[in-house]
Amino acid sequence: MTLEELSHYNGRDGNPAYVAYKGVVYDLSQSDMWKNGEHQGEHVAGVDLSEALQHAPHGEDVFKGFKEVGKLEMHEKKIPMSRQELKLKYTITSKEKWRRWYQIYHPHPVTAHFPIVLHFFAAGMDIAFIFSPLEKFEQGTYYAFLFATLFGLIAMISGILSWWVNYNFNVIRPLVIKLYTSIFTLLLGIIGIVLHVLNPMIAYNSDALALFYHFSILITVPSVIVLGYYGGRLTWWRQTKSDTEIANHLHQESVESKFLLHNDFTIMIGGSAGSGIKTIETLLSDVFASMGYYVFSTKEYMSRVRGGSNTVQIRVSDTMIKAPKWKPDLFLALDELSVSHVKDRIGVDTFVIGGQNEKFSNHLQISLQEEAKKHVTKQFINTFAAGMLFGLLKLPLEALENSLKKHFNEKDHEANLEAIRQGHMYAQSQNIELKKFPAPPKKSGEPMRYIDGTTAAGFGFLVGGCNSVTSYPMSPSTGVLNFLAGLSKDFEIAIEQAEDEIAAFNMVLGVWYAGGRGLTTTSGGGFALMSEGLSLCGMTETPAVVYLAQRPGPATGLPTRTEQGDLNLALYAGHGEFPRLILAPGDALEALELGHLAFEIADRFQVPVLYLSDQYLADSVQSILKVDFELFSQKRYIVKSQADYLRYKITQSGISERAIPGYGEGLVCCDSDEHDERGQITESYKVRESMVDKRKRKLEQLRNVAIAPEIIGDGNIAIVGWGSTKGAISEVLSQLDDSRLTQVHFSWIYPLNKGHLSKLSDMDFIIVVENNSNAQFTDLLKLSDVKVDATILQSNGFPFFSDILVDKIAQKVKELS
Amino acid sequence: MNNTFIRPETDKAWCPGCGNFGILNLVSEVLEELELGKQNLVFVSGIGQASKTPHYLDVNMYNGLHGRALPVATGIKMANPELIVVAEGGDGDMYGEGGNHFLNAVRRNLNIVHIVHNNMVYGLTKGQASPTSQREFKTKVQVNGVSNEPFNPLSVALSLNASFVARAYMQNKEHTKEILKAAFLHQGYALIDIFQPCVVFNPVNTYKWFSENSYILEEHDTANIMSAMEKAMQTHPFALGIFYQQERKTFEESLWKSEETSNPLYTQKHDIKEMQKQFDKYTLSYL
Ligand code: SF4
């Protein structure tokens, strides 16, 4: 049954009352709650209630016991039937924008409260006047009534707007009652005021007109009660915000934490791979979050499974921070090797614990392994060290104990708790003064959350509707594959490990072609193999999403380290010319948000979307606010084909309706050769020209919906970054506290929108910060005629450290100005 | 015969007399006789003369890249297991450029019909050796004759426990159709290697040569993989027929564990409430 057909079963005029829920159509004619096809005066029969039920006080079990009479044809409601409708769907008109704004801020309940209160006040005054006819009571009555009526008019207008915005002028009982009652109230108001204007002394009279005057004032009270009552019963749909709006909204939230100076304490721990360094990282991130702190942690590891020397850095702060530091406040060496490994990173203020072969100015020169062995056993060095840390920082042991209990198997509790206590006691006996530990931030009522860039991206793809992942494993991208594979039991996600990246990407195309939403995860080398398929994707206009987590190349490069070196690869991969989108998130929240956007855009514009992350962002953990997944739009752009369906129909936007095989009457033909509208191979130069043009128009469409760079500050020196440099740059700018500096962060990398770049041309100086040696994004900006004055580049395999970047930026600013 | 599976208004790019015409007709007749619904039928192909076959069939088509038909077919089966998927191409496409995908399609037991036109030469690039070219075959590139061992698709597939392995010669029309039908009715991966003479670039393996160098398998146990292997290893003459057929768990059956979840993906949406729950689980692990 289609939505069209369903609408006939509205329960009126002897028709049965059917409603659809999650694709199933139920017959509710026999329900007492659905007399005349109406339910609670709010809902009517003959429609799909899937969405509305989410706002209902009861669950879906209410349909139990009713007869299933059919299935609602999926997607029917999402299919635009004509070019006109299609266009409407794709372009948000200013009317639509306004409508969305109105839905989000919904002023009607606010405007309605004024007149209600005033009407009560007027009636109260009038009663007082009737008992003691004083002039002040008469005046109070009249002016309260006058303003009540005026505000009532405003409330009515806003109410009608809400009716249109939320209910599309659908006739449902409470709204009709509200409409009649408010007209009635308004008329009484006007009559009362007119009577008073004609005869200002009317209240003192006792003729019929005077009686009517008092009546009009008193009777409005019950009528506003009716208005308020039905108003309260209505569900004002909260509209799902559009993607760009979400982006802006989320950005605003992060702006607040910008330029707030933070107090933090940076702890670094070094040890060999497999020595449990990961355990201590999890334990500490967790305990600090549970104490209400913002945490940031990042690791640096060698490309091996056991041995070597790795570090984790945990920063604990009273405000959001999203960058690592080169020199920690405290370094905890689990073994000797780690001390020599990080020697360069020990600052004059760094307190070093452990390591006997080197000597530092602030140093507890012990062997942690020996101490652990002395107090517990060597095996518990991690928890011993954690306890020690808490002792040194004078933090409550209880919090640590609680976290430990949650992370360890019950059988390991006792020994580890003992190790913590021993470590704590040992530290206290040492009499060491460390840099002041920040006080926890004010409690917001919301518990602190933290997430790594991999998981954040994974959730983004999930809320983007990703339901297939086909990949060949490659660090540092594999985390997303693992994450989604792990969730494939809870969600419908088809996972397949491909024989190579070529297959992985071609599988993605097969998935999308047949109606799925496919993702592949890879890094530079693997993506290079996908270039050929990317070109096919462009030609066949099949959507695709690639999660490309960069690591330093060329070739195998530094497999476990970070770089932003694959922008040019992403920009130019694939033979021939075709549109593509490149996104690069700057932090965990953006990672999530852009994951959703990647799928939305891929589907809507039928282009490949390349999502550029990097090892640093993928592996670092940061605090994140609660994300409301309901806010993300869940649009689907598949149409049911007609018999004469043309896959590559020429349209003004360049986007042709996308049907899939097996859904509808038509056939879906995609061709890697140049093709005509049917998808049939052709060598006609005319068809070629029109198809090249069509594909090109999609690029322009993409440009139009581009997300503007995030701009923080209003100085005239721009510090420009893209992708994962965001956190480091913003920490630096907050430290420098120089009003001339403005952060400009790009997460929508290509195609750039000229309008967005015009803000850059107003700047006196532009400094671009990039984690590569060829200034690849700078080149892209230059192609768009942006004049770049200086670059700060790095390609040593590390992310940008805020305490190093701060000097570099200060230096460049000094040179330029 | 007026076949509804032949796409109208197409300009066939093949040379007159090419064996591809014969295969196109046989395939379209089989589709017609099996009364398959066009809408649920997808032909996936790569690049080459044989890969153009889907262009001339009135079915859903995804004509991709040289050698890459099988991964696309895999993706299609992942997204919609209800579709009947056929991958069709030539020996260079499927065994050469796409060799790794061939191995893995067999290993997955991808539930598709895999038709390979085998003419033992590269036609579209004008006459170089293909993976199945016989030794001593001279070309503009292999000027001293082919020295590589010819690729044996049947024994390779059998060694990977393919669930359906067959060879046909397009001139044996009824026999080829019979095999094709069996392949369509088979649940799981079905390979049909079809001998097809290239009249322009292969002066050695001609219609006559194929007739003289092949014979139809009789009294062969298709459930016995060892004897299938033995037959597959014998060449000159080449046996024709179904060598081996044994259904086993298919790719999509392993992918979607339970019946109810094997719905096409386009009918599904994730549960947002569950997502919210998972997000809490991941971001508030200490709670
Ligand atoms: S080159 Fe050979 S295989 Fe290709 S169309 Fe001509 S005859 Fe057929």
Side-chain angles (χ1 to χ4, degrees), chain B residues 140-277:
Chain B
K140 277 181 235 156
V141 176
Q142 288 75 21
V143 287
N144 295 322
V146 168
S147 58
N148 291 2
E149 176 67 22
F151 184 77
N152 186 334
L154 280 70
S155 62
V156 169
L158 284 167
S159 73
L160 297 170
N161 196 20
S163 65
F164 182 110
V165 178
R167 180 160 53 209
Y169 171 37
M170 46 76 60
Q171 276 298 78
N172 303 332
K173 295 200 174 101
E174 285 314 311
H175 185 237
T176 305
K177 273 169 69 175
E178 219 172 274
I179 295 173
L180 279 169
K181 279 183 191 165
F184 271 96
L185 298 175
H186 175 77
Q187 284 297 310
Y189 174 81
L191 172 70
I192 317 111
D193 182 84
I194 305 182
F195 283 152
Q196 165 244 324
C198 166
V199 295
V200 176
F201 294 109
N202 194 333
V204 178
N205 310 110
T206 59
Y207 281 98
K208 186 156 167 278
W209 185 90
F210 279 116
S211 301
E212 286 169 358
N213 284 280
S214 67
Y215 69 99
I216 291 177
L217 264 180
E218 267 154 29
E219 287 176 35
H220 167 69
D221 178 9
T222 58
N224 185 339
I225 197 162
M226 291 323 263
S227 79
M229 191 57 122
E230 206 185 315
K231 293 277 181 313
M233 295 296 287
Q234 290 165 3
T235 56
H236 309 89
F238 295 85
L240 304 172
I242 299 172
F243 286 59
Y244 181 65
Q245 182 174 15
Q246 197 70 64
E247 286 188 3
R248 59 188 167 92
K249 202 168 183 189
T250 65
F251 172 68
E252 63 243 35
E253 282 166 351
S254 320
L255 184 67
W256 302 113
K257 292 281 178 292
S258 68
E259 276 283 306
E260 71 196 279
T261 52
S262 66
N263 294 320
L265 290 179
Y266 76 93
T267 62
Q268 317 275 326
K269 268 190 187 179
H270 295 324
D271 181 354
I272 301 290
K273 293 217 173 74
E274 175 65 23
M275 218 177 280
Q276 202 76 50
K277 230 167 62 196

Side-chain angles (χ1 to χ4, degrees), chain A residues 478-498:
Chain A
T478 316
V480 168
L481 170 65
N482 292 345
F483 172 75
L484 289 170
L487 286 183
S488 67
K489 286 187 193 303
D490 302 292
F491 298 89
E492 306 258 299
I493 309 172
I495 306 281
E496 180 64 6
Q497 183 175 322

Side-chain angles (χ1 to χ4, degrees), chain A residues 75 286 448 496 627 668 671, chain B residues 55 60 63 108 266 276 286:
Chain A
H75 304 277
D286 209 282
M448 279 291 171
E496 180 64 6
V627 172
V668 185
D671 198 350
Chain B
H55 284 107
N60 292 297
N63 175 239
R108 288 189 177 99
Y266 76 93
Q276 202 76 50
Y286 59 87

